């Protein structure tokens, strides 16, 4: 029986009810009775908020301790008593009073005593006695129940001849179990009557014996009482039946009396055949009731006393109180109900005993008074009213606050004139209400004619006091102080009242203590005054560091010294200029005593002790006393202490130290100055010794036992108990674990509250205190078991045991004949012998079996020649022995069937039966083995744990229900989950899963983000679903907000400050706890560049952006973030800061242009901070002034100047905000002859590619020179124009102006921005619905990357979807993808120039696969003649939900299929099938990853359910073969034809390729050359080789454009013109591009070049200067260039295996297999037949930078012989050049000049080394050489010997292949160029 408590909450709230409260959940619970075979679990009736500490106690106040397997208190306060056997019964545990307490900050309350009693399952018999009654009278049958179980057993029904009696007609059942038969008839005697009883706690039923009714004919007789009532007590509101049945003839009449009077008329009183029934009892119904029965022959009377009890109800007031300390409290306990009761009071569960604060009043102590309440009086007060075992209570929470007064209202400082009245008010609050007193300058204010005071207290406890001064004088000024005091403390307030007029209040002399601080206050009461000074001995203070004078006139003396600080002090107050008033005070310094420190050493008993206390300084006289533990020591024999005192010392002497001398000794020295003390502890150590030694002891099992051990010593010894199990010699002692059951008492004894068998053995009591040696003593504890009694029946007194007679047998039951014969005749005698024996066992059979009961029937055969008296049925679990059986005893012999109840479902039982007669018991019947049916599980799943996995999933783990509660085989589980949040409907969503074992795991997906879910789990078996587990809550993980902040606004406040405001995103989109906001902003410059991205984090919804660039456009985005990360950014908001004063011009030049003028040029300000409206030029010379220039003009000519004068010139820019800062000042002097000067400025110029760039170079000079150029356009003003600039145009450009008087130079750094390089894209992780990508950006092209464009599509489609990603991201997750699907992904970066190259296309697959049917699952679950059931649960989803399930079936041997689409995923039935027919079945299950198939055959049964044999075809065996051959032959022929055609075409293609290559080498190409494109088809591999480069001829002829289809026309480089010697000298300008490898801004950007130019070597001895965007220094003997091409052999995209290798899932061996195939086809290139192939490097496919270099193979070697890397990835092999003699044809070579090469090395004596260049190259190189002499071989060999593995890694996609012009290759083949290397990359 598990007790269930209803939650009838009776709570008491404090003022702060939401924070702290206590309550009862079932205060009326006072008795719990339970079955010993089941146990009980009892929650604590009390509780609290916040969570209270729950504890259980016995009614005696003893703590509850755990007894293993018997009693346990759970952490939640539930008291559990486990099932136990009768031998483990302990009245201390199983039949006792308990109570529970709840404690928190509010206090501690206790429940009423609860009587907990265990009831045994003991055998008992009920019986019914035979009755007699006259016809027409009433018969009364009573069920006689043994008194031992009468309290727990009740009558549930009556049977008449095994048929239940239904009350009505003549049969009545009383409330107390009697059967009344009215108007008895003759036929009533033909039946037997039985009562059926049921045990209240065990549920066991009993059937009585059959009783009979003897019916007599009526005869005249006086009344006879058949059933009557007795005295009793009943609670008010209940009903009671008073029986009064009588028999007699004539039938007697019944009259009821109450208290001697007839019953009053009341509807609640009902007279029935059974007696008097009173409903809804009231207290006035109490009294004496009498029943008189009368007929003509007499009368009888029965009477009894009825007591109606009104249940006690208690109300405690006040219910709740918060007051202050020292208050007086009254509690009134009002009790309603019966008047006989007693009251007890508790505070915090402790019984309240009257003391000086607490008293009880009233007749029943129903009033509790607390006077001067203290802090410890706070808590929970309970009033208990008790009457005859019934208790009621109520409680109140009292909070006593610190009632110290506090000033809540006061006055302020003011100035008044003499005679001007004023009033001061001070209000204070406290508990109890305080009283207020007033002082003026530390003197009490006394009520008189001048001062009028008043004081009153308001209803809220506020005390208000006033002081009124009607005619103030100067003396009434000063510091007024109000002091509020009560019993809890005091508070004060002071302020100054200034009365106009000069005066100082007289000061009292001061006595100061040396060494302490002293304050002297100059009490100035006049007003006004200007200053306060202190003087001593004519000197103004302070004059040392120990003196401080405060502004209010107080003088502080720190560390007062007697000689220095003693004397008279003068306070001088300046009240007018030159007018002061003075007052003096005398300070006397007293020196306190100083005790020399001393220590007291530890000692032992019996020794001497001398302690001296010496005073080293202090004013005399000095008094010295001694105290011990705070008490004055009185010397004498009683204390054992002698004290000797002299003038400045005192000694304490102890002649014989004892334990009582332990303590703290204090020497106190006092004089007129102070009292000082010095305290030390005297420790008298005593080694431990036993006071009571342990002795061997016997304890009774289950009872309490104390193992005595008492020790003494000082310090108090610590006692430790140890235990050694066993009764032999102790082997090893272990410390006794101290639990609630075992405790060490204060005297050292060991208390065992409940002795167990394991407690026996040796015990060791060990004591130590650190003094001397430890002591110990052992003992033996013997555990005794209490004696048990066995009841036995006496033997049959009639049985005779005659050892002289042979034992009688059943066959001896015969007639014996005695025949006697003599001479007179003969005689015969017959004797019948009956042999009695125990009966034969009954023949037992089972009629019905249910889940928890079974119905048995039996037939009794031979009864042993004795009447059967009873039957016993025994049953047990089949796996148990018969020692653990259950028995139903004393079954009536008239019964032949019985119901066995309280069985466990899904259990196998063994049952047997015995018969009894007077001789004894039969042998057991034949055992029956019976399995009960399954029942729904009785227990929930255990250990349910929720673990949030992601923001949308929670993993649920649990264990199966307890084995004994499963009630069968657990088939699966139902998981119910619901959202526990606002707006949720509270309904559970149910998912179901199959059971897999004892531990289960299930993941709930597609949940709301950051939402709390409640989850329950239920187990189910065949019978149904069991109870659900307790709901457990878990919250999904946080995620990033899915929406940006709303209402984002930006306001420009100033030129460098802006305010951004927004509002919070919708709550439902936060998906977590909002941590704050992040404002991301960056500047947008006029040239399109972005500034550095910045962010500010805040928790507010507004942020001020300060320090912004002035007059600058900004992009602003706002996002919210949670713990999971940043959310979605808001749309870009644009804002421009306001204009401001511009900065100074970035540069200024002033040069003379004529004898009377100068030219000024300047650069715009670096920070214009607005729109430049104009420029102002300043000239410092007298007569000159300011000049204005348009904002478009950056130079100005100032005229009318004087020759030979120096001028200071500067400039400033002007915006609408005003004029900015001026530039630097330059000095210039007009001159007649002007040297060459450049007005333009050098610096860096940045431009996007393919734009026109103008580089200005304006110059002045006299005389002027001319400037021309045929290749680049140079304008007349010296501006260099570059059209369609490319990356190779970047560099440093120098402009030089020269004339005969001088020269000037500027350098311009041109930076060409290009689109960004392709990023390196990889797959990071995948799931069923997402792919996470990561990438490394490439070069930004000289412009910041503004974002990335990610494109993706399903593998077999070309529908690309675009996703724009922020520039700061380096990873991205594609969500909401299809499960188990391949996707293609590519990525490109964007900058201000545009989108860059797209990355390699990579492929990745989401997790999941097509469905598969589980082979362990049966496909067919049920088959009959017309239906077949299919098990669809056998399909496993493969990780992707099954979307379609299709079935096709047909009778075997037919052609037409019948199709069916299934919607369910559990079971499907095929109907309307043919009987006795074989069928073919095809099933197809599909999901997003693909489809799975399953085929089978089955046969329907015949009409009678019989199966049919396998079908045999009626056709010949050869028919199917012929049909198959006729269909398959054409297919095979077509396949062979296609394969043959493919082989022929491939052979022809290879031959054409060879012929074409041979022809291209030997034969010149005519007409416009076309670039070769070699595409070799390889199974699963594609080798794509492209060469598309510009080629130029080197010879004596001028430079020629060799590939006009590819490049723009190239102009001749302009040569600089020199004037002849007769020509007048003039300025000369020169423009040149700096060397490309020196200071190049970005080498990697050269990949965008498409034009290479070579200039002829100059024939002049003077060095020629060229104007070109890409120039090389030429030698006369040759040219060397380095270049690299990337050739890729990429896996074909036709197969999944190819895809897998791109995402690192293909094996390395297969990768090298494809590499070998690529190698074989590469050798088809004619010019590579003599090449040497080398593995140069390998990449791991996860983007790591590790590489692997292998050895070199000969041309004939197979690539498959190479060692394979440990992981799949990307490998490259290179075809190196053959020996030069193999291609020694041609001297003049067409040389392609790649834009990516390093600086070329040219020389007159041959080729330079390329080692350095090769080592620093960014790509693997190929080398081309044109030797001019026989050293070509050496040069070629040198060039090929470079280390190929030293190159950096290069990706191998088709996008990165280099293309070349066909004409270039044609010339290369025609003129027999030296070989070059090609690199092949396999992905």
């Amino acid at each position: 029986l598990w007790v269930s408590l209803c939650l009838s909450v009776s709570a008491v709230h404090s003022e702060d009810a939401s924070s702290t409260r206590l309550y009862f959940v079932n205060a009326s619970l006072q008795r719990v009775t339970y079955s010993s075979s089941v146990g009980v679990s009892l929650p604590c009736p009390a509780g609290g908020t916040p969570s209270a500490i729950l504890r259980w106690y016995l009614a005696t106040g003893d703590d509850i301790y755990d007894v293993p397997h018997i009693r346990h208190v759970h952490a939640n306060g539930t008291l559990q008593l486990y099932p136990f056997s009768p031998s483990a019964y302990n009245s201390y545990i199983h039949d006792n009073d308990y109570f529970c307490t709840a404690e928190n900050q509010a206090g501690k309350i206790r429940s009423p005593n609860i009587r907990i009693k265990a009831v045994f399952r003991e055998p008992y018999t009920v019986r019914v006695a035979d009755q007699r009654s006259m016809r027409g009278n009433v018969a009364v049958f009573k069920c006689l129940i043994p008194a031992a179980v009468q309290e727990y057993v009740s009558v549930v029904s009556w049977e008449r001849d095994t048929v239940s009696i239904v009350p009505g007609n003549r049969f009545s059942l009383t409330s107390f179990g009697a059967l009344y038969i009215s108007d008895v008839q003759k036929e009533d005697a033909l039946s037997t009557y039985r009562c059926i009883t049921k045990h209240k706690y065990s549920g066991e039923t009993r059937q009585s014996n059959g009783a009979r009714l003897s019916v007599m004919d009526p005869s005249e007789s006086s009344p006879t009482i058949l059933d009557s009532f007795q005295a009793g007590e009943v609670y008010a509101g209940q009903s009671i039946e008073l029986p009064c049945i009588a028999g007699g003839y004539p039938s007697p009449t019944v009259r009821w009396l109450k208290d001697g009077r007839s019953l009053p008329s009341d509807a609640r009183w009902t007279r029935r055949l059974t007696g008097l029934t009173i409903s809804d009892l009231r207290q006035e119904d109490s009294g004496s009731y009498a029943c008189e029965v009368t007929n003509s022959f007499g009368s009888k009377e029965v009477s009894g006393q009825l007591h109606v009890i009104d249940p006690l109800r208690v109300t405690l007031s006040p219910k709740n109180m918060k007051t202050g300390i020292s208050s007086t409290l009254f509690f009134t306990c009002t009790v309603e109900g019966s008047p006989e009761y007693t009251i007890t009071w508790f505070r915090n569960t402790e019984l309240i005993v009257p003391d000086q604060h607490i008293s009880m009043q009233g007749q029943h102590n129903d009033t509790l008074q607390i006077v001067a309440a203290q802090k410890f009086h706070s808590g929970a007060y309970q009033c208990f009213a008790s009457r005859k075992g019934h208790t009621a209570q109520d409680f109140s929470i009292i909070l006593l606050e610190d009632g110290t007064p506090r000033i809540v209202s006061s006055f302020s400082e003011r100035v008044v004139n003499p005679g001007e009245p004023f009033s001061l008010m001070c209000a204070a609050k406290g508990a109890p209400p305080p009283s207020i007193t007033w002082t003026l300058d530390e003197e009490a204010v006394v009520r008189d004619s001048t001062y009028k005071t008043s004081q009153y207290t308001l209803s809220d406890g506020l005390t208000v006091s006033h002081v009124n001064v009607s005619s103030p004088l100067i003396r009434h000024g000063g510091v007024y102080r109000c002091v509020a005091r009560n019993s809890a403390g005091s508070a004060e307030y002071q302020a100054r009242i200034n009365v106009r007029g000069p005066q100082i209040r007289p000061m009292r002399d001061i006595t100061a203590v040396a060494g302490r601080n002293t304050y002297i206050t100059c009490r100035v009461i006049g007003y006004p005054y200007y200053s306060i000074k202190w003087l001593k001995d004519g000197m103004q203070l302070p004059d040392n560091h120990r003196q401080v004078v405060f502004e209010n006139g107080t003088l502080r003396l720190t560390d007062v010294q007697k000689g220095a600080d003693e004397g008279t002090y003068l306070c001088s107050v300046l009240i007018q200029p030159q007018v002061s008033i003075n007052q003096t005070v005398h300070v006397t310094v007293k020196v306190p005593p100083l005790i020399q420190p001393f220590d007291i050493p530890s000692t032992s008993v019996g020794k001497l002790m001398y302690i001296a206390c010496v005073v080293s300084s202090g004013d005399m006289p000095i008094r010295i006393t001694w105290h011990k533990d705070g008490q004055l020591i009185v010397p004498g024999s009683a204390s054992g202490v002698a004290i000797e005192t002299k003038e400045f010392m005192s000694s304490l002497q102890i002649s014989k130290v004892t334990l009582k001398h332990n303590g703290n000794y204090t020497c106190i020295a006092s004089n007129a100055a102070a009292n000082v003390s010095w305290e030390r502890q005297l420790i008298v150590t005593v080694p431990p010794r036993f006071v009571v030694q342990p002795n061997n002891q016997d304890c009774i099992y289950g009872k309490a036992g104390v193992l005595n051990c008492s020790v003494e010593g000082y310090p108090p010894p610590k006692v430790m108990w140890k235990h050694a199990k066993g009764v032999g010699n102790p082997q090893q002692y272990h410390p006794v674990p101290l639990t609630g059951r075992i405790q060490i008492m204060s005297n050292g004894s060991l208390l065992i509250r409940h002795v167990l068998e394991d407690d026996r053995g040796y015990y060791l009591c060990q004591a130590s205190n650190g003094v001397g040696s430890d002591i110990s003593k052992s003992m033996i504890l013997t555990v005794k078991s209490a004696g048990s009694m066995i009841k036995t029946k006496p033997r049959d007194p009639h049985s005779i045991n005659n050892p002289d007679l042979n034992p009688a047998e059943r066959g001896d039951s015969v007639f014996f004949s005695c025949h006697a014969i003599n001479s007179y005749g003969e005689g015969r005698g017959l004797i019948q012998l009956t042999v009695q024996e125990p009966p034969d066992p009954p023949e037992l059979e089972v009629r019905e079996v249910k889940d928890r009961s079974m119905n048995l029937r039996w037939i009794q055969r031979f009864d042993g020649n004795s009447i059967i008296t009873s039957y016993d049925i025994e049953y047990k679990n089949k796996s148990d022995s018969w020692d653990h059986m259950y028995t139903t005893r004393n079954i009536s012999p008239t019964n032949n069937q019985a119901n066995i109840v309280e069985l466990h479902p899904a259990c196998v039982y063994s049952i047997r039966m015995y018969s009894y007669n007077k001789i004894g018991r039969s042998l057991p019947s034949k055992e029956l083995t019976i399995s009960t049916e399954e029942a729904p599980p009785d227990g929930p799943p255990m250990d349910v744990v929720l673990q949030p996995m992601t923001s949308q999933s929670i993993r649920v783990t649990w264990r199966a229900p307890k084995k004994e509660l499963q009630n069968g085989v657990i088939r699966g589980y139902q998981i119910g989950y619901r959202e526990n949040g606002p707006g949720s409907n509270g309904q559970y969503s149910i998912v179901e899963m199959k059971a897999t074992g004892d531990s289960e795991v299930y993941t709930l997906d597609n949940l709301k983000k950051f939402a709390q879910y409640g989850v329950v789990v239920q187990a189910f078996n065949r019978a149904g679903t069991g109870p659900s587990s307790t709901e457990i809550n878990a919250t999904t993980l946080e995620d990033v907000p899915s929406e940006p902040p709303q209402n984002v606004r930006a306001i420009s406040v100033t030129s460098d400050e802006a305010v951004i405001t927004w509002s919070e995103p919708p709550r439902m989109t936060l998906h977590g706890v909002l941590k704050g906001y992040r404002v991301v902003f960056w500047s947008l410059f006029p040239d399109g560049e972005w500034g550095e991205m910045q962010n500010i984090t805040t928790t507010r919804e507004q942020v001020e952006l300060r320090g912004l660039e002035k007059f600058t456009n900004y992009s602003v985005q706002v996002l919210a973030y949670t713990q999971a990360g940043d959310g979605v950014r808001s749309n870009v908001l644009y804002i421009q800061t306001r204009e401001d004063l511009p900065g100074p011009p970035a540069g200024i030049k002033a040069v003379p242009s004529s004898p009377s003028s100068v030219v000024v040029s300047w650069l715009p300000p670096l920070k214009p901070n607005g729109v430049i409206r104009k420029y102002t030029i300043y000239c410092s010379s007298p007569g000159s002034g300011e000049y204005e220039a348009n904002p478009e003009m950056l130079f100005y000519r100032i005229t009318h100047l004087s020759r030979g004068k120096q001028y200071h010139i500067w400039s400033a820019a002007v915006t609408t905000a005003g004029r900015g800062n001026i530039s630097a000042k330059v000095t210039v002097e007009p001159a007649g002859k002007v040297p060459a000067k450049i007005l333009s400025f050098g610096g860096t110029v940045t431009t996007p590619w393919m734009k026109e760039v103008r580089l200005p170079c304006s110059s002045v000079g006299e005389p002027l020179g001319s400037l021309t150029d045929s290749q680049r356009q140079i304008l007349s003003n010296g501006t260099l124009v570059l059209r369609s600039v490319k990356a190779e145009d970047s560099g440093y450009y120098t402009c030089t102006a020269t004339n005969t008087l001088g020269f000037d130079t500027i350098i311009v750094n041109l930076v060409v921005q290009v689109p960004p390089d392709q990023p390196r894209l990889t797959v990071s992780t995948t799931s069923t619905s997402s792919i996470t990508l990561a990438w490394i950006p490439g070069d930004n092209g000289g412009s910041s990357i503004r974002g990335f464009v990610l494109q993706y599509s399903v593998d077999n489609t070309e529908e690309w979807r675009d996703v724009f990603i922020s520039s700061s991201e380096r990873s991205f997750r594609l969500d909401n993808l299809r499960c188990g699907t391949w996707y293609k992904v590519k990525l490109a970066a964007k900058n201000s120039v545009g989108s860059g190259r797209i990355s390699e296309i990579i492929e990745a697959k989401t997790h999941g696969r097509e469905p598969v049917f589980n082979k362990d699952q049966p496909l067919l679950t049920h088959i009959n003649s017309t239906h077949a059931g299919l098990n669809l649960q056998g399909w496993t989803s493969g990780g992707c939900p099954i979307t379609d399930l299709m079935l096709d079936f047909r009778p075997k041997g037919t052609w037409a299929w019948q199709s069916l689409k299934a919607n369910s995923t559990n079971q499907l039935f095929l109907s309307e099938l043919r009987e006795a027919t074989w069928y073919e079945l095809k099933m197809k299950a599909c999901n997003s990853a693909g489809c799975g198939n399953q085929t089978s055959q089955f046969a329907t049964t015949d009409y009678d359910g019989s199966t049919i044999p396998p079908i045999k075809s009626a056709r010949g065996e050869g028919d199917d073969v012929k049909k198959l051959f006729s269909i398959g032959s054409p297919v095979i022929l077509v396949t062979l034809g296609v394969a043959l055609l493919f082989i022929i075409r491939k052979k022809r293609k290879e031959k054409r390729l060879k012929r074409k290559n041979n022809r291209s080498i030997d034969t010149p190409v005519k007409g416009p050359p076309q670039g070769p494109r070699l595409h070799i088809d390889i199974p699963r591999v594609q080798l794509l080789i492209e060469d598309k480069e510009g080629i130029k001829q080197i010879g004596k002829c001028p430079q020629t454009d060799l590939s006009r289809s590819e490049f723009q026309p190239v102009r001749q480089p302009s040569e600089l013109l020199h004037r002849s010697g007769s020509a007048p000298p003039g300025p000369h300008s020169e423009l040149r591009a700096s060397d490309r490898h020196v200071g190049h801004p970005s080498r990697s950007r050269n990949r965008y070049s498409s034009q290479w130019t070579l200039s002829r070597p100059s024939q002049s001895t003077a060095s020629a200067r060229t104007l070109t965007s890409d120039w090389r220094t030429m030698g006369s003997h040759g040219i060397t260039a380095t270049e690299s091409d990337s050739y890729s052999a990429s896996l074909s995209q036709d197969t999944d295996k190819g895809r897998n290798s791109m995402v690192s899932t293909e094996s390395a061996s297969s990768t090298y297999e494809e590499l070998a195939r690529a190698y074989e086809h590469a050798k088809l290139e004619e010019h590579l037949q003599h090449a040497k192939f080398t593995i140069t490097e390998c990449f791991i496919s996860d983007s790591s930078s590790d590489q692997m270099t292998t050895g070199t193979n000969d041309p004939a070697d197979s690539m498959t012989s190479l060692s394979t890397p440990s992981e799949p990835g990307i490998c490259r092999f290179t075809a190196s050049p053959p020996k030069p003699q193999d291609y020694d044809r041609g001297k003049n070579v067409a040389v392609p000049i790649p834009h990516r090469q390093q600086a070329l090395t040219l020389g007159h004596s041959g080729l330079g080394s390329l080692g350095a260049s090769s080592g620093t190259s960014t790509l693997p190189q190929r080398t081309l050489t044109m030797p001019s002499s026989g050293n070509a071989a050496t040069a070629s060999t040198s060039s090929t010997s470079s280390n190929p593995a030293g190159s950096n890694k290069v990706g191998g996609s088709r996008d990165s292949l280099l293309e070349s012009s066909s004409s270039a290759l044609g010339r290369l083949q025609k003129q027999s160029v030296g070989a070059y290397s090609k690199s092949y990359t396999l992905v």
Side-chain angles (χ1 to χ4, degrees), residues 723-904:
H723 179 214
K725 293 185 178 181
V727 295
N729 292 328
Q731 298 298 323
Q732 187 173 3
Y733 284 99
H734 298 281
V736 174
L738 300 180
T739 61
R741 187 177 68 88
I742 303 177
Q743 296 177 347
I744 295 179
M745 302 173 68
S746 58
N747 64 351
S749 298
L750 185 67
L751 171 64
I752 306 178
R753 294 178 181 267
H754 187 94
V755 177
L756 302 176
E757 187 66 30
D758 291 341
D759 294 333
R760 67 189 183 93
Y762 283 87
Y763 283 82
L764 181 72
C765 176
Q766 183 176 341
S768 63
N769 66 351
V771 181
S773 301
D774 297 354
I775 60 172
S776 62
K777 182 70 169 62
S778 64
M779 60 161 290
I780 300 176
L781 172 64
T782 304
V783 179
K784 302 289 186 180
S785 298
S788 60
M789 299 179 64
I790 301 175
K791 297 180 179 180
T792 61
K793 294 183 178 180
R795 299 186 60 183
D796 190 345
H798 300 288
S799 65
I800 301 174
N801 184 9
N802 189 347
D804 298 331
L805 299 177
N806 292 327
E809 298 178 355
R810 181 180 301 181
D812 295 336
S813 296
V814 295
F815 285 93
F816 287 90
S817 174
C818 179
H819 190 193
I821 301 175
N822 62 8
S823 58
Y824 297 100
E826 60 180 13
R828 290 180 179 272
L830 293 176
I831 300 173
Q832 183 182 7
L833 175 63
T834 300
V835 178
Q836 293 182 325
E837 60 178 315
D840 285 353
E843 296 180 1
L844 184 63
E845 64 178 10
V846 177
R847 296 184 60 188
E848 183 182 18
V849 178
K850 297 182 180 179
D851 53 352
R852 300 180 188 273
S853 64
M854 65 178 72
N855 182 264
L856 305 176
R857 184 171 64 182
W858 60 88
I859 300 175
Q860 180 64 49
R861 299 299 183 183
F862 179 61
D863 61 0
N865 293 325
S866 178
I867 297 175
I868 299 297
T869 59
S870 64
Y871 296 100
D872 282 357
I873 299 176
E874 295 179 350
Y875 58 96
K876 67 176 182 68
N877 287 324
K878 184 174 178 61
S879 59
D880 295 341
S881 66
W882 284 106
D883 294 334
H884 299 84
M885 64 183 178
Y886 302 93
T887 306
T888 301
R889 300 187 182 279
N890 299 327
I891 300 174
S892 172
T894 60
N895 290 345
N896 67 341
Q897 63 181 11
N899 285 324
I900 306 298
V901 296
E902 292 189 357
L903 301 179
H904 199 282

Side-chain angles (χ1 to χ4, degrees), residues 1150-1159 1197-1198 1201-1207 1228-1237 1260-1263 1299 1301:
V1151 297
S1153 61
S1154 71
S1156 62
S1157 64
V1158 296
V1159 178
R1197 183 182 296 274
I1198 302 176
L1201 300 179
S1202 300
R1203 180 175 180 179
K1205 273 191 176 183
Q1206 287 190 349
Y1207 293 89
V1228 64
E1229 179 180 339
K1233 293 183 179 181
V1234 180
K1237 293 291 184 180
V1260 296
E1262 187 65 35
N1299 66 2
L1301 300 179

Side-chain angles (χ1 to χ4, degrees), residues 698-719:
D698 295 339
C699 289
I700 299 176
Y701 178 86
K703 304 296 183 181
V706 177
L707 310 185
N708 293 317
C709 179
S710 179
V711 294
E712 67 177 8
Y714 195 86
K718 180 180 179 182
V719 176

